[in-house]
């Protein structure tokens, strides 16, 4: 470790020495957000170093070019030379100078600090806390296995702001309902999974970007040095909601983090109790609207009308057409008749929300939403957007379904 | 060098009207078809780019829905790469190579005809799903980004199938063109045109052709596997069936990275001709450049995973791909050195082709230098999939190949048509392009550093100003290209003064010994190169 650090500092000294560029910690007007992890510091250092070097190379080359363009012109009666390659030994030697400089810059000046930070980033051992992050279209699910806490985090910007029907908030598109809460000054291992397509976890202030690839566990780590709220976004095209799955990290001091863990666990207890009691229809509808807006509206649209050809409406009696496979699938489940969406049996409604439709973007919410939330959203869907089945689903029935499956 | 008997050939019978173009096996006709097709697709791709920039002009969704936006960026990328740039460079090869090496035509003329006529259906396939959607079939065209990453591309609609077939056709066409170039160059050179005398452009295309034949099969195989995953229940790329999404990334980039050089090399080959002509000085470092082409081609097939630094490869793989990528800076650096040395102490004049050639050197220089920055596997965590990357590859692809193609177009237009284009319009085109291009993409570097991911239809408020600047730049850039189209059309329809056979005071090469425009058939009996 010490030797690597030594190598890095040698590289840095060489870089600064050879180019007498501004020291690498100089801030430019536009730059990465202030780094708050060791990796982000290294990356910023490398970025500044690289930019200094390529600026020098570019400025040098451009000066030579412009000197030539202004001097060696026909209009100045300049007689063209006829050389086509180096001839004398001295010329050959001089031609190799740029090549050797380039190799030196590549492999020493830039190579050594790069090598150091790649190895530092790859060192995922010695963590104090593990967070399992599961990406799916288009939300993040965060789990703390050590504490039994888990929740989903979705965009909280209303679609009205996106479509210009409401003024845009300061954190437009970079705000979520449940931020990821992490302790500062502790090495946190982030284990990444994906439930469907490739996503990428990126928080610029942390200097890390790691793809979440279905079928793999990917690891990266952070050690946040300063409490604060840090915002990032999914960085791999993952479908229509790609721009709408931000990451918000709320970094708290270890003491504050411990308090947060305690309150989350208490809240989970309350939620378990809530699932036991019988809910009124109004309460289910209110909670259901909240769940719908943050989990379903991206595809089925806030007005429940879906998108022709792609995402079926929730509003019944609404005309819909799509591929033959999709239509026959909907028909089989009882949600489609004679060119229109129909209300369909409640059992199949619950089935779809809990288990999704494999091979389509409709995800399985079983592990992402609580019993109460699943019951609420189904109640909501069956009684909103002009639907009035009057049917109510209680959290207890969802709970019963879950336990039946286990047996 | 002597040109033997081209008189009397002009009158030679050839079909006229539409059948001339449909059945033609003449390398010049086919070359022209390729170039017109490429120019048309450049306008289509450019129009899509304007739509993208219009949507991104301000925060908030204004023009389209996200699903349409994803389709627009994808088709923009695919069209620009496969349907605009590759055909244009293939057209240049067709038109110029036989004349440059003293051959009567391309070696495989029927293949040549077929190769071209595969292109229009391919272009139609790419956009057809939009029309089908209007008829209520499917949900539009491919929306996965031009990288078609699985499993998103398995999940996506029928547009992906159409795009895969389009890529089959485009790939087949390019492969046939490449085979033709190789056979022609190796077999049909005029007596005395030894390999050591081959014009640099021909060398660059020979490398391109070998490279293309080497890497395209990877994409084709991948695309077949993808098709099977989509329709025949295989699981090559889908993890739920035990497949591997990363495998697609490897197959795509094993093709995709060399593809960048396939786009670049032909114009890197035409550049020295133009620089030397307007500097009135021989090309510097002929051998060094030829060896650099070969080195670039070979290195390009062993660096592909620098596009996958964030996909979770082992650290040692990242280190290998970083260092091998850095190695490419050496031959590319040598090319720059030779370009500089070619004009150094020349007697330069600055006609439009020269301006675009210098623009190429400057802009592609920025593309190359920022590429070096991106090769850093650690810092790439920060740059990958941001607008920094978007700006980089536009400096590399527009700043290089497109600038080069435009330079070549102005350089050879008088040869092709026998008429000089309008120089004033050309200069306006150049300066507006330079201003528009930099105004579009410099803000994008800053956006990327500031944290804006690519491929998003809507963005946070802090990115608003730079995006507006970038859009304004793009509209300037787009409008400037219309000057080019007008200038070309004007020249083709016979305006402008007549061009001499040498066209440019400093021009050399067999093609400049022929009249402008050259006769329909050239070199029926081979010229002898001294
Ligand atoms: C008229 C000038 C051009 C403008 C204003 C322009 C603009 C853009 C924009 C805004 C994007 C979307 C970036 C994103 O969201 O990821 C894009 C993507 C792209 N462009 Fe261009 N572009 C231009 C010309 C070109 C040319 C000449 C080429 C190649 C030869 C090219 C190749 C690409 C590719 C490959 C993509 C990526 C598509 C994808 O994300 O799958 N562009 N361009
Ligand atoms: Cu995502």
């Amino acid at each position: 470790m010490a030797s690597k650090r030594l190598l890095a500092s040698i590289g840095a000294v060489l870089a600064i020495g050879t180019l007498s560029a501004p020291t690498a910690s100089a801030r430019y007007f536009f730059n990465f957000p202030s780094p708050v992890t060791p990796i982000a510091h290294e990356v910023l250092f490398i970025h500044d170093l690289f930019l200094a070097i390529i600026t020098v190379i570019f400025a040098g080359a451009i000066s030579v070019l412009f000197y030539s363009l202004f001097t060696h012109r026909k209009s100045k009666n300049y007689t063209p030379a006829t050389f086509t390659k180096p001839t004398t030994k001295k010329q050959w030697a001089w031609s190799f100078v740029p090549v050797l400089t380039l190799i030196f810059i590549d492999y020493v000046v830039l190579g050594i600090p790069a090598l150091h930070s790649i190895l530092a980033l790859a060192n995922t051992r010695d963590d104090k806390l593990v967070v399992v992050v599961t990406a799916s279209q288009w939300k993040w699910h965060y789990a703390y296995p050590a504490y039994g806490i888990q929740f989903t985090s979705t965009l909280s910007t209303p679609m009205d702001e996106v479509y210009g029907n409401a003024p845009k908030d300061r954190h437009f598109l970079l705000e979520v309902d449940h931020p990821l809460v992490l302790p500062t000054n502790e090495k946190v291992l982030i284990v990444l999974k994906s439930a469907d397509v490739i996503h990428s976890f990126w928080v610029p202030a942390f200097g890390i970007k790691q793809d979440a690839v279905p079928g793999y566990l990917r690891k990266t780590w952070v050690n946040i040095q300063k409490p604060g709220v840090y915002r990032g976004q999914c960085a791999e095209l993952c479908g229509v909601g790609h721009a709408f799955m931000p990451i918000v990290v709320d970094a708290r001091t270890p003491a504050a983090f411990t308090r947060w863990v305690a309150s989350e666990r208490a809240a989970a207890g309350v939620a378990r109790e809530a699932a036991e009691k019988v809910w009124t229809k109004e309460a289910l509808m209110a909670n259901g609207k909240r769940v719908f807006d943050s989990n379903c509206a991206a595809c089925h649209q806030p007005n429940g009308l879906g998108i022709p050809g792609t995402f079926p409406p929730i509003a019944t009696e609404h005309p819909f057409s799509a591929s033959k496979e999709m239509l026959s699938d909907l028909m089989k489940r009882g949600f489609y008749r004679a060119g229109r969406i129909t209300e369909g049996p409640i059992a199949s409604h619950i089935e779809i929300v809990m288990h999704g439709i494999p091979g389509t973007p409709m995800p399985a919410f079983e592990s992402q939403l609580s019993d109460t939330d699943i019951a609420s959203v189904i109640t909501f869907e069956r009684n909103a957007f002009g639907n009035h089945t009057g049917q109510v689903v209680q959290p207890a029935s969802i709970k019963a379904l879950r336990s039946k499956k286990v047996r | 060098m002597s040109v033997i008997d081209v008189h009397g050939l002009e009158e030679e019978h050839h079909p006229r009207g539409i059948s001339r173009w449909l059945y033609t096996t003449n390398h010049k006709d086919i070359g022209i078809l390729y170039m017109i097709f490429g120019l048309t697709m450049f306008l289509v791709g450019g129009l899509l780019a304007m739509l993208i920039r219009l949507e991104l002009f301000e925060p908030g969704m204004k023009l389209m829905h996200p699903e349409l936006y994803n389709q627009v960026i994808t088709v923009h990328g695919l069209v620009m790469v496969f349907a605009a740039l590759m055909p244009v460079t293939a057209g240049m090869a067709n038109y110029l190579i036989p004349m440059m090496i003293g051959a009567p035509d391309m070696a495989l003329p029927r293949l040549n005809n077929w190769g071209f006529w595969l292109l229009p259906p391919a272009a139609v396939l790419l956009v057809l799903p939009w029309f089908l959607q209007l008829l209520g079939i499917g949900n539009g065209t491919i929306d996965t980004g031009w990288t078609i990453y699985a499993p998103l591309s398995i999940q996506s609609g029928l547009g992906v199938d159409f795009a895969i077939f389009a890529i089959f056709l485009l790939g087949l066409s390019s492969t046939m063109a490449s085979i033709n170039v190789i056979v022609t160059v190796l077999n049909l050179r005029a007596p005395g045109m030894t390999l050591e005398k081959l014009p640099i452009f021909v060398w660059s295309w020979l490398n391109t052709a070998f490279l293309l034949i080497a890497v395209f099969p990877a994409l084709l195989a991948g695309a077949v596997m993808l098709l099977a995953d989509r329709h025949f229940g295989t699981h090559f790329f889908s993890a739920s069936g035990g497949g591997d999404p990363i495998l697609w990334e490897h197959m795509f980039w094993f093709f995709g990275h060399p593809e960048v050089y396939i786009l670049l090399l032909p114009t890197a080959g035409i550049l020295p001709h133009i620089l030397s002509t307007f500097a009135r000085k021989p090309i510097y470092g002929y051998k060094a450049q030829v060896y650099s082409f070969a080195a670039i081609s070979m290195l390009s097939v062993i660096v592909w995973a620098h596009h996958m630094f964030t996909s979770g490869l082992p650290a040692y793989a990242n280190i290998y791909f970083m260092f091998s990528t850095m190695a490419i800076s050496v031959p590319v650096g040598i090319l720059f050195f030779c370009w500089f040395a070619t004009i150094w102490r020349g007697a330069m004049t600055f006609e439009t082709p020269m301006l675009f050639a210098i623009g190429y050197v400057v802009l592609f220089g920025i593309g190359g230098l920022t590429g070096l920055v991106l090769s850093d596997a650690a810092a790439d965590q920060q740059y990958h999939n941001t607008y920094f990357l978007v700006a980089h590859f536009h400096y590399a692809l527009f700043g290089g190949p497109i600038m080069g193609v435009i330079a070549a177009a102005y350089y050879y237009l008088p040869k092709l048509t026998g008429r000089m284009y309008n120089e004033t319009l050309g200069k306006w085109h150049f300066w507006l392009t330079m201003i528009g291009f930099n105004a579009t993409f410099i803000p994008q570097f800053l956006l990327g550093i500031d944290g804006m991911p690519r491929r998003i239809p809507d963005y946070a408020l802090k990115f608003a100003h730079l995006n507006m600047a970038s859009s304004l730049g793009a509209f300037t850039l787009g409008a400037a290209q219309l000057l080019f189209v007008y200038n070309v059309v004007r020249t083709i329809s016979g305006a402008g003064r007549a061009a001499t056979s040498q066209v440019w005071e400093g021009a050399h090469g067999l093609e400049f010994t022929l009249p402008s425009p050259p006769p329909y058939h050239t070199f029926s009996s081979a010229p002898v190169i001294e």
Side-chain angles (χ1 to χ4, degrees):
Chain A
M1 200 61 203
S3 67
K4 270 183 225 144
R5 197 160 294 147
L6 186 68
L7 282 179
S9 11
I10 295 175
V13 171
L14 285 173
I16 294 161
T18 36
L19 294 156
S20 54
T23 54
S25 62
R27 287 284 178 285
Y28 301 92
F29 177 51
F30 283 103
N31 213 331
F32 293 149
S34 300
V36 294
T37 65
I39 293 291
H41 277 288
E42 289 202 24
V43 167
L44 179 67
F45 166 83
I46 292 173
H47 171 72
D48 288 346
L49 178 65
F50 269 60
L51 281 206
I53 289 173
I54 65 171
T55 308
V56 171
I57 297 180
F58 187 69
I62 277 282
S63 334
V64 173
L65 181 67
F66 275 78
Y67 173 79
S68 180
L69 294 182
F70 283 104
T71 327
H72 309 143
R73 319 172 148 236
K74 193 183 171 196
S75 56
K76 295 202 169 162
N77 285 325
Y78 203 92
T79 341
T82 53
F83 60 87
T84 59
K85 61 175 185 194
T87 38
T88 64
K89 274 218 174 83
K90 204 166 135 203
Q91 282 174 357
W92 273 107
W94 274 108
S95 321
F96 273 101
V97 169
V99 173
L100 293 177
T101 316
L102 197 59
I103 293 178
F104 178 74
I105 290 176
D106 282 356
Y107 292 103
V108 180
V109 182
L110 301 180
I112 292 173
L115 195 59
H116 179 265
S117 61
I118 295 171
L119 293 175
L121 184 64
N123 176 11
T124 46
R125 280 164 302 166
D126 310 323
D127 55 276
K128 291 275 181 313
L129 172 70
V130 177
V131 180
V132 179
V133 177
T134 310
S136 63
Q137 287 166 323
W138 291 280
K139 50 185 161 288
W140 300 94
H141 179 266
Y142 302 119
Y144 304 69
Y147 305 118
I149 300 174
Q150 54 165 322
F151 54 88
T152 352
S153 172
T154 56
L155 177 72
S156 61
T157 305
M159 280 295 137
D160 275 351
E161 289 187 20
V162 172
Y163 286 97
N165 304 324
K168 296 182 179 33
D169 184 75
R170 199 156 62 92
H171 294 302
F172 176 65
L173 294 185
L174 291 181
E175 49 192 356
V176 296
D177 53 358
H178 296 296
L180 171 63
V181 180
L182 293 179
T184 55
N185 297 315
E186 267 176 29
K187 185 161 179 177
V188 180
L189 180 68
I190 297 178
V191 177
L192 277 155
K193 302 197 288 185
S194 166
D196 36 48
V197 302
I198 304 176
H199 302 264
S200 194
F201 184 86
W202 180 36
V203 180
F206 300 166
I208 50 156
K209 182 181 285 138
Q210 176 59 57
D211 294 0
V213 185
Y216 285 96
L217 291 181
R218 291 299 195 220
K219 285 189 225 161
T220 187
W221 62 274
V222 295
N223 190 340
I224 308 166
Q225 292 151 338
K226 211 172 99 203
V229 176
Y230 304 104
R231 292 166 203 275
Q233 273 178 276
C234 175
E236 181 63 62
L237 179 62
C238 54
V240 296
H242 169 53
F244 310 112
M245 52 182 295
I247 297 154
V248 178
V249 177
D250 179 355
R252 303 188 184 181
T253 58
F257 179 74
T258 313
R259 281 199 298 279
W260 173 81
V261 168
S263 72
E264 276 302 295
R265 297 176 89 167
V270 174
R272 262 195 302 280
E273 271 164 36
E276 308 287 332
K277 76 169 198 207
V278 174
W279 284 56
T280 65
K281 185 174 165 200
E282 286 65 41
L284 285 170
M285 287 293 283
N287 188 45
K289 175 164 173 33
R290 183 187 61 78
V291 179
F292 184 86
D293 284 345
S294 52
N295 292 281
C296 322
C299 301
H300 296 292
Q301 302 301 300
N303 56 11
L305 292 184
I307 292 174
T310 316
F311 300 119
I314 302 297
T316 55
E317 291 310 314
H318 195 81
F320 179 67
S321 76
S323 68
K324 248 204 222 96
E325 297 87 62
M326 189 188 284
L327 293 183
S328 69
D329 192 83
L330 284 170
M331 213 176 307
K332 205 172 70 209
R333 291 168 201 268
F335 286 91
Y336 189 73
R337 197 180 332 109
R340 283 165 190 277
I341 292 293
T342 55
E343 68 199 18
I346 194 159
S348 126
H349 199 151
I350 296 175
E351 162 79 19
I352 292 176
V353 173
M354 284 181 72
H355 304 301
I357 305 181
T360 75
M362 179 69 200
F365 286 96
E366 187 181 19
S367 60
Q368 299 186 9
L369 296 178
S370 66
D371 297 342
T372 314
D373 285 353
I374 293 181
S376 315
V377 80
I378 294 172
T379 306
F380 174 75
E381 289 186 334
R382 295 183 80 78
N383 295 287
F385 311 124
N387 303 347
H388 21 62
T389 58
Q391 286 162 330
V392 169
V393 181
Q394 288 295 341
S397 15
I398 304 295
K399 192 175 177 202
L401 278 174
R402 280 199 216 263
S403 48
K404 200 182 308 159
K405 210 182 132 212
V406 173
R407 256 179 259 137
Chain B
M1 120 183 28
S2 69
V3 180
I4 297 176
D5 194 22
V6 290
H7 303 283
L9 290 177
E10 267 126 302
E11 281 81 16
E12 200 200 336
H13 170 80
H14 58 76
R16 317 225 160 241
I18 181 83
S19 58
R20 160 174 176 190
W21 299 106
L22 264 178
Y23 303 134
T24 184
T25 54
N26 177 291
H27 74 97
K28 295 195 195 74
D29 282 357
I30 294 176
I32 288 170
L33 284 174
Y34 265 115
M35 290 188 263
I36 291 175
F37 177 80
L39 180 62
T40 315
M41 295 315 284
F42 176 58
L43 294 178
V44 172
L47 188 71
L48 294 171
M50 296 304 118
L51 292 178
I52 302 173
R53 286 314 326 172
L54 210 56
E55 177 61 66
L56 296 181
F57 188 72
E58 276 179 337
M61 296 300 298
K62 296 272 154 77
L63 200 63
M64 354 181 177
H65 277 273
E67 53 270 42
L68 179 60
Y69 180 86
N70 288 351
Q71 297 171 8
V72 170
I73 57 162
T74 307
V75 176
H76 162 74
L78 288 171
V79 161
M80 285 297 194
V81 169
F82 290 105
L85 254 181
M86 286 175 79
V88 166
T89 56
M92 284 162 59
N94 254 295
Y95 199 96
L96 294 175
I97 289 179
M99 294 205 298
M100 283 182 161
I101 64 173
D105 204 308
M106 294 297 277
L108 309 165
R110 293 235 173 267
L111 190 78
N112 211 5
N113 172 290
W114 193 26
F116 172 77
W117 284 107
L118 287 179
L119 293 178
V124 170
L125 279 182
L126 270 183
V127 293
L128 193 63
W130 272 326
F131 296 97
L132 292 180
Q133 187 183 22
L134 293 180
L135 302 175
I137 305 172
N139 43 17
T141 187
I142 180 169
D143 60 356
T144 58
W146 85 288
T147 47
I148 325 181
Y149 273 14
L152 183 65
S153 53
I154 300 178
Q155 184 189 81
S156 231
L158 58 74
V160 175
D161 302 318
F162 279 74
I164 288 177
F165 280 112
I167 289 173
F168 283 170
L169 294 181
L170 294 165
L172 204 57
S173 159
S174 301
T175 308
M176 295 194 306
S178 299
I179 292 173
N180 215 346
V181 166
I182 294 173
V183 178
T184 308
V185 174
L186 295 187
N187 294 301
L188 291 190
R189 295 190 313 275
M193 177 59 81
T194 55
L195 284 179
E196 298 86 72
K197 284 191 194 145
L198 220 50
I200 277 198
F201 173 71
V202 182
W203 267 120
S204 72
W205 239 106
L206 203 56
N207 275 281
T208 307
F210 277 114
L211 197 51
L212 196 123
I213 293 175
V215 299
F216 218 95
L219 181 66
L220 287 187
V224 172
M225 290 154 75
L226 186 59
L227 215 51
D229 271 9
R230 288 172 55 80
H231 297 291
F232 309 126
T234 57
H235 295 283
F236 292 111
F237 306 126
S238 89
S240 54
D244 182 358
I246 300 290
L247 177 63
W248 168 265
E249 296 189 14
H250 282 299
M251 296 188 83
F252 180 85
W253 286 116
F254 180 79
F255 153 79
H257 188 72
E259 170 69 10
V260 180
Y261 296 98
I262 290 171
L263 298 175
L264 177 77
L265 283 178
T267 55
I270 209 75
L271 198 65
H273 292 264
I274 298 175
L275 293 174
S276 138
T277 294
F278 294 99
R280 295 168 180 74
K281 210 179 133 244
I283 290 172
Y284 179 91
Y286 173 88
K287 269 199 180 157
Q289 294 192 53
V290 171
Y291 283 122
S292 295
F293 293 151
I296 291 172
S297 309
M298 284 183 235
L299 285 172
S300 78
V301 292
I302 58 164
V303 299
W304 73 91
H306 63 215
H307 294 272
M308 300 161 58
F309 282 149
T310 65
S311 71
L313 298 178
Y316 289 99
N318 281 349
I319 290 169
Y320 160 74
F321 282 109
M322 170 174 80
F323 284 138
S324 58
T325 302
M326 285 178 169
I328 295 193
S329 68
V330 173
V332 173
I334 292 176
L335 287 183
F336 272 95
F337 186 87
C338 294
W339 296 338
F340 276 66
T342 298
I343 57 174
W344 187 253
R345 292 180 48 207
M348 281 187 263
T349 51
F350 300 95
E351 287 86 345
T352 310
M354 182 63 163
L355 290 178
F356 273 96
I358 293 166
Y360 180 122
V361 174
V362 174
L363 298 182
F364 181 62
I366 297 177
L369 286 170
T370 49
L372 191 59
V373 175
L374 287 162
S375 74
D376 185 309
D380 189 57
Q381 303 268 326
Q382 203 68 305
Y383 305 124
H384 180 68
N385 271 356
T386 66
Y387 264 86
F388 188 91
L389 179 75
V390 174
H392 152 73
F393 73 67
H394 281 92
Y395 270 91
L397 290 179
F398 192 115
I402 295 281
M403 293 294 278
V405 162
I406 296 175
Y410 281 116
Y411 185 62
Y412 282 110
L413 203 55
K415 173 61 41 190
L416 263 70
T417 60
R419 296 278 154 190
M420 299 304 286
Y421 58 84
N422 183 320
E423 195 59 60
T424 318
L425 274 181
K427 294 219 159 88
W428 273 97
H429 176 210
F430 172 73
W431 288 109
L432 287 176
T433 299
M434 280 304 264
I435 294 168
F437 181 84
N438 287 299
T440 310
F441 292 105
I442 288 176
Q444 295 190 9
F445 277 127
L446 303 175
L447 279 169
I449 289 172
D450 226 14
M452 178 163 166
R454 72 192 278 213
R455 294 172 170 170
I456 56 172
D458 201 2
Y459 49 82
L461 298 184
K462 63 177 171 180
F463 305 130
H465 295 297
L466 286 168
N467 266 300
M468 194 176 284
S470 175
S471 288
L472 292 173
F475 302 148
T476 315
L477 180 61
Q481 305 320 307
L482 298 180
L483 291 181
F484 176 58
V485 176
Y486 173 70
N487 211 350
V488 171
V489 171
R490 194 176 160 279
T491 315
I492 292 177
S493 49
R497 79 196 145 70
T500 61
S501 55
Q502 201 196 357
V503 185
W504 312 106
E505 189 189 24
H508 288 287
L510 268 186
E511 73 274 27
F512 289 107
T513 62
L514 295 165
S516 308
Y520 196 62
H521 293 292
T522 36
F523 305 127
S524 319
S525 46
V528 177
I529 320 299
E530 99 295 343

